[in-house]
Amino acid sequence: MNKAKAWRPHEMPTLLINRLARALLKPTDERLREVGISSSQLPVLVALKDGGKRTQKELADLANVEQPSMAQLLARMERDRLIAREASSTDRRSSLIFLTDRARQLLEPGRAVLRDIDQNVCAALSKEEKEVLVSLLQRLMASVTGEGND
């Protein structure tokens, strides 16, 4: 078989990244659940962490998910008292979503979990290797999303 045509998924960075992301999802969710949040909530928590208020559409765009998916996520977060809503002063049809005091209290414990997982997973890398990996992943993310680093 021609080497150029050989199927070598273990040498394809995008497939390796995908497998790693899936492998990290379960233990990350388990650890975050102990804090009272989930990894699916992270885009909303990050977007609202500084006390900002955003519409459901803005949050869906930021999280790169469809509106119905975001609506379901926000309904669960509201049920769990992580977010609240207030009427928009500029658009009567929409509401602004913001974090509750309860959610803000969970941010630092959630960050601690994420830092711990990152430290444990990246322990196999030197400081320099981790810096190179972060730089490469940021470049790949920018090429896929068309956005800069966040």
Side-chain angles (χ1 to χ4, degrees), residues 30-50:
E30 288 172 356
R31 297 269 314 274
L32 286 174
R33 194 172 305 117
E34 294 170 8
V35 171
I37 57 179
S38 71
S39 58
S40 65
Q41 298 167 341
L42 291 176
V44 173
L45 296 170
V46 168
L48 302 176
K49 72 184 182 322
D50 294 324

Side-chain angles (χ1 to χ4, degrees), residues 65-124:
V65 298
E66 298 295 325
Q67 286 259 18
S69 298
M70 181 55 67
Q72 290 175 345
L73 175 63
L74 293 175
R76 288 190 305 272
M77 291 180 77
E78 191 169 27
R79 176 202 66 204
D80 296 340
R81 299 182 335 270
L82 297 174
I83 61 154
R85 302 172 196 251
E86 69 180 26
S88 170
S89 60
T90 58
D91 182 356
R92 290 182 178 208
R93 295 169 296 165
S94 68
S95 59
L96 296 174
I97 296 145
F98 59 95
L99 295 183
T100 62
D101 289 339
R102 179 177 188 277
R104 282 193 294 282
Q105 291 170 357
L106 299 177
L107 290 176
E108 189 48 44
R111 288 177 184 136
V113 164
L114 296 174
R115 280 191 292 269
D116 185 57
I117 291 169
D118 184 73
Q119 184 177 0
N120 289 335
V121 170
C122 294

